Amino acid sequence: MTKATVESGEWPPGISFLRLGSGAALVYLPGLSGSPHLPSGAGLWMQGRLLAPFARRREVVWLHWSEGLEPPVSMAQIAARSAAAIASHLPAPVDVVGVSTGGSVALQLALDHPHLVRRLVVVSAAYRLSDHGRLVQRSLSAAVHTGHTRRAGAIMAAEVAASTPAAVVFGAAGWLMGRSTFAHAGAELLAVIEAEDDFDVGERLAEIAVPTLVIGAERDRFYSPELFRGTAERIPGGWAIVYPRAGHLGTTLHRRYHRDVLAFLDGR
């Protein structure tokens, strides 16, 4: 865990949060999770490592936006819950970073609640999933729905890799950890997957009026470089960065990731 003190709590309407660092508020919307609870143990340590470079210069507010969801639910409804928490507890407008499925939520937030967003960073996400990405998440949903937790772990882990050999190794590791990773997965995860399956805001991107950065990976299996660049191109003043030879997981682990995000948020 990082040396920064991490505060946790819950805001209406049932949005749990982690809070660390100091400075201007940075809302961080994480990706899909197999657990309906806040991260703890190794999961909390990993989130702390990921957020630490931001927390040195910002007050990072990590929102557990998927907690308490039940299908059917839309991405607009999911974003509205985060919007209510931000409006009630933070000095809006705030900078927003959304990662993976959290990036979909962030785009919807900027579209439906523009007064809450100062600058937007969409990481490992685009205005819709690729066709392959949708198939993967439907397979994940089926595995969770039928209680095949090891299969769910293998599916999720394999698809974040950047190459076929890595996918084999990651998939095996995911299978071994699947029972613990998806032990508590249920209605919330299924609701989010269903919402993202329908998510496509390509025709609305021109409505986003805040500076926006899209960061993706060349070998992302859920999206594609064309989707990342296409998302930025449709947003007035949008920018795209695509990291070469990286996969879905490798985007936030890339050596340039924190530097690129902070430079953009600081207007550089």
Side-chain angles (χ1 to χ4, degrees):
M1 189 63 217
T2 64
K3 294 180 180 180
T5 300
V6 180
E7 172 192 355
S8 64
E10 182 179 302
W11 291 329
I15 301 289
S16 296
F17 67 86
L18 300 173
R19 208 167 185 172
L20 65 160
S22 61
L26 169 61
V27 170
Y28 193 93
L29 304 176
L32 199 65
S33 172
S35 171
H37 309 299
L38 282 175
S40 60
L44 180 60
W45 180 83
M46 290 176 64
Q47 287 298 322
R49 289 292 300 270
L50 180 63
L51 299 176
F54 297 137
R56 294 188 191 108
R57 293 164 56 179
R58 298 293 189 102
E59 180 186 33
V60 181
V61 182
W62 185 104
L63 294 184
H64 193 8
W65 49 265
S66 63
E67 188 166 3
L69 295 175
E70 291 186 9
V73 67
S74 67
M75 196 61 72
Q77 291 172 304
I78 295 173
R81 298 172 80 247
S82 295
I86 293 169
S88 299
H89 298 281
L90 295 174
V94 296
D95 292 331
V96 176
V97 176
V99 180
S100 192
T101 303
S104 301
V105 179
L107 281 170
Q108 192 77 57
L109 179 70
L111 285 166
D112 295 348
H113 310 275
H115 61 291
L116 299 178
V117 182
R118 189 186 79 96
R119 282 179 175 257
L120 175 66
V121 182
V122 178
V123 183
S124 301
Y127 65 85
R128 68 169 176 87
L129 283 165
S130 68
D131 292 341
H132 177 74
R134 282 184 170 138
L135 288 174
V136 169
Q137 293 207 163
R138 288 171 189 170
S139 296
L140 176 63
S141 178
V144 170
H145 183 71
T146 56
H148 291 96
T149 53
R150 287 194 185 277
R151 175 168 171 73
I155 291 170
M156 179 64 82
E159 293 299 325
V160 302
S163 66
T164 299
V168 173
V169 175
F170 281 27
W175 186 86
L176 290 172
M177 297 185 295
R179 285 184 178 174
S180 58
T181 302
F182 291 93
H184 303 288
E188 290 162 315
L189 178 60
L190 299 176
V192 174
I193 292 175
E194 184 178 316
E196 194 163 32
D197 191 70
D198 293 333
F199 178 74
D200 186 342
V201 293
E203 298 302 317
R204 293 189 59 195
L205 291 179
E207 300 173 28
I208 296 180
V210 299
T212 302
L213 173 65
V214 180
I215 301 180
E218 182 183 38
R219 299 177 183 174
D220 193 307
R221 292 166 177 249
F222 291 93
Y223 298 95
S224 68
E226 291 75 23
L227 279 171
F228 295 134
R229 295 190 179 102
T231 300
E233 288 168 1
R234 297 186 188 200
I235 298 173
W239 294 83
I241 298 174
V242 178
Y243 296 142
R245 299 180 298 281
H248 192 76
L249 177 64
T251 306
T252 54
L253 299 179
H254 196 279
R255 60 184 176 81
R256 284 176 41 191
Y257 169 63
H258 293 94
R259 182 178 63 192
D260 287 342
V261 171
L262 286 169
F264 176 77
L265 294 180
D266 290 342
R268 292 185 278 118

